[in-house]
Amino acid sequence: MRKILVVGAGQSGLQLALGLQQHGYEVTLMSNRTADEIRSGRVMSTQCMFHTALQHERDLGLNFWESQAPNIDGVGVSVAGPDGSRPVDWVGKLDGYAQSVDQRLKMAGWMETFSQRGGQLVIHGAAVSDLDYFARSYDLVLVSAGKGELVSMFGRDADRSPYDAPQRALAVAYVHGLGPRPEHPEFDAVRCNLVPGVGELFIMPTLTLSGRADILFWEGVPGGPLDVFNGVRDPGEHLAITLDLMKRFLPWEHDRATQVELTDANGTLAGRYAPTVRNPVGRLPSGGAVLGVADVVVANDPITGQGSNSAAKCAAAYLASIVEHGDRPFDEAWMRSTFDRYWETARHVTKWTNAMLAPPPEHVLNLIGAAGQFPPIADRFVNAFDNPADLENFFYDPARNEAYIAEVAGAAQASGA
């Protein structure tokens, strides 16, 4: 029986460990926190997962909360005018619903499941020296802990990392009591509110420890009016600042947030990081090689909501590569080809995310505007959250963009719509 060590108990690490376990591998999972510590800790992300990523969980029978989490049936885009108006405001329908499950709930539950199924769980904050020692006992070491010393083993890929500094200041609040959008009270949608030159507010329904809730997520341009959460430690103050900014820049969203309260004292999070692609193979002091997983090697800004989706897709790709490899050694060449398999999807995410962090070119503004006129454009755009590869066909290139809008407009005119 082949022995595999997975370091890090997030979406990718746990999904991969549970998948390997199902395929008969002897898996050790290393986490710096227990399930109870995760469950009682601070929120970790916004984790809106779209159809493909959810299907990877279903394929492994890990969709424990699917019947409880609210179904997200669409994604809406609003653009704020300087006078508090909404010159752009539309919603597109997803082909398959999305869901968000608080990672405190999911990761704690998955970790307990891993142990119950006979997996070896080691609660230990791993350093490079620890891995150097442990690696000799395993056929493969996978590093999915995206922060701390271990990441330093994986060098930055400058060609794939155009930014060397954070492009957004991030601030998250989990709340109860948010009212529905009056325009579409009949279904749940992620709401993407764009404030040109200032940042973005994303609002999405989620399932948390105390049931149904909503996430208020500001992404602020560094140094701008939204970059005010650094050093805020009091959760109540964090929420008050969040709401004040909504009132100032997005009054239509503030109008439905007058009765909100935090889900719990750990329901806020703030921080920033530079989007980075890294070399997938890390070298240990003794010369051994380890393979980086998910955001260890591809860390994108959350502006396109791809973090947990990419983690699930990475875990699925790596699992398939490991199983297909049979009893052959997991050498560096295999590690690089395994990462390349994941990069086939991840490269589209990185390209899109980096594009969205920059001021939008005119043809993208035209596309966002046209989506408000033509529902097929809105629907196609929002389904790119599930499949970012489709953006190559209509988003980046001005000529393709113009041709696509003209095609949809012509079809609408011909049908009399």
Side-chain angles (χ1 to χ4, degrees), residues 14-195:
L14 275 161
Q15 182 182 319
L16 192 48
L18 286 157
L20 289 166
Q21 195 178 49
Q22 290 185 30
H23 282 275
Y25 292 84
E26 186 178 330
V27 186
T28 299
L29 177 67
M30 187 175 289
S31 170
N32 64 349
R33 293 189 293 168
T34 67
D36 285 342
E37 287 170 339
I38 291 170
R39 193 178 282 113
S40 62
R42 187 169 294 280
V43 293
M44 295 179 277
S45 69
T46 53
Q47 75 279 313
C48 183
M49 299 183 69
F50 296 89
H51 173 75
T52 300
L54 293 176
Q55 190 59 48
H56 288 315
E57 296 185 356
R58 296 183 191 115
D59 291 343
L60 294 173
L62 299 176
N63 54 328
F64 301 157
W65 301 273
E66 185 161 10
S67 64
Q68 303 167 50
N71 290 348
I72 298 170
D73 294 313
V75 178
V77 174
S78 303
V79 178
D83 57 353
S85 64
R86 276 179 281 177
V88 173
D89 186 48
W90 51 261
V91 62
K93 294 297 291 290
L94 292 166
D95 293 339
Y97 59 76
Q99 289 189 325
S100 168
V101 177
D102 186 341
Q103 288 195 339
R104 295 177 296 180
L105 188 62
K106 182 191 286 187
M107 300 309 122
W110 278 3
M111 188 182 292
E112 289 166 345
T113 298
F114 175 79
S115 294
Q116 290 162 4
R117 292 177 178 177
Q120 183 178 0
L121 179 62
V122 177
I123 305 302
H124 183 67
V128 173
S129 57
D130 297 313
L131 289 198
D132 208 28
Y133 173 78
F134 285 120
R136 301 163 199 167
S137 304
Y138 292 90
D139 297 297
L140 175 63
V141 176
L142 299 158
V143 178
S144 63
K147 300 184 179 74
E149 178 191 335
L150 297 185
V151 178
S152 65
M153 289 192 296
F154 304 90
R156 179 174 178 268
D157 186 336
D159 292 338
R160 292 171 170 173
S161 306
Y163 299 115
D164 58 6
Q167 299 300 297
R168 292 292 189 274
L170 314 174
V172 171
Y174 280 52
V175 299
H176 290 307
L178 184 71
R181 270 281 196 110
E183 313 95 294
H184 294 285
E186 72 278 9
F187 66 87
D188 280 321
V190 173
R191 297 294 175 171
C192 308
N193 296 276
L194 314 179
V195 186

Side-chain angles (χ1 to χ4, degrees), residues 117-377:
R117 292 177 178 177
Q120 183 178 0
L121 179 62
V122 177
I123 305 302
H124 183 67
V128 173
S129 57
D130 297 313
L131 289 198
D132 208 28
Y133 173 78
F134 285 120
R136 301 163 199 167
S137 304
Y138 292 90
D139 297 297
L140 175 63
V141 176
L142 299 158
V143 178
S144 63
K147 300 184 179 74
E149 178 191 335
L150 297 185
V151 178
S152 65
M153 289 192 296
F154 304 90
R156 179 174 178 268
D157 186 336
D159 292 338
R160 292 171 170 173
S161 306
Y163 299 115
D164 58 6
Q167 299 300 297
R168 292 292 189 274
L170 314 174
V172 171
Y174 280 52
V175 299
H176 290 307
L178 184 71
R181 270 281 196 110
E183 313 95 294
H184 294 285
E186 72 278 9
F187 66 87
D188 280 321
V190 173
R191 297 294 175 171
C192 308
N193 296 276
L194 314 179
V195 186
V198 175
E200 301 82 25
L201 175 73
F202 300 90
I203 301 179
M204 69 196 71
T206 191
L207 177 70
T208 188
L209 304 167
S210 50
R212 156 72 197 244
D214 288 277
I215 301 171
L216 310 177
F217 175 32
W218 276 115
E219 288 224 0
V221 174
L226 304 181
D227 187 4
V228 290
F229 290 90
N230 192 31
V232 175
R233 298 286 177 262
D234 178 72
E237 182 184 359
H238 182 113
L239 178 59
I241 294 171
T242 297
L243 296 173
D244 285 345
L245 292 170
M246 290 171 66
K247 187 174 184 179
R248 175 180 173 187
F249 292 106
L250 303 167
W252 60 89
E253 297 291 20
H254 183 265
D255 287 347
R256 63 190 186 114
T258 55
Q259 304 298 318
V260 300
E261 57 184 16
L262 291 174
T263 56
D264 60 280
N266 287 316
T268 62
L269 180 69
R272 67 190 73 201
Y273 60 89
T276 307
V277 178
R278 298 183 179 90
N279 187 315
V281 179
R283 279 290 169 195
L284 297 168
S286 63
V290 298
L291 177 59
V293 182
D295 59 358
V296 169
V297 286
V298 184
N300 291 302
D301 188 278
I303 193 168
T304 53
Q306 295 297 300
S308 55
N309 294 273
S310 292
K313 292 172 182 178
C314 181
Y318 280 22
L319 176 61
S321 290
I322 291 168
V323 172
E324 290 167 10
H325 201 58
D327 293 329
R328 288 169 287 172
F330 296 113
D331 56 17
E332 183 170 338
W334 174 85
M335 290 182 180
R336 293 193 180 279
S337 68
T338 294
F339 172 76
D340 289 344
R341 181 177 187 160
Y342 167 53
W343 182 247
E344 276 303 302
T345 59
R347 65 188 178 92
H348 296 293
V349 175
T350 297
K351 182 176 181 178
W352 182 32
T353 303
N354 289 340
M356 294 300 290
L357 289 169
E362 183 178 358
H363 71 274
V364 170
L365 294 175
N366 291 340
L367 180 74
I368 292 173
Q373 295 178 266
F374 304 108
I377 295 179

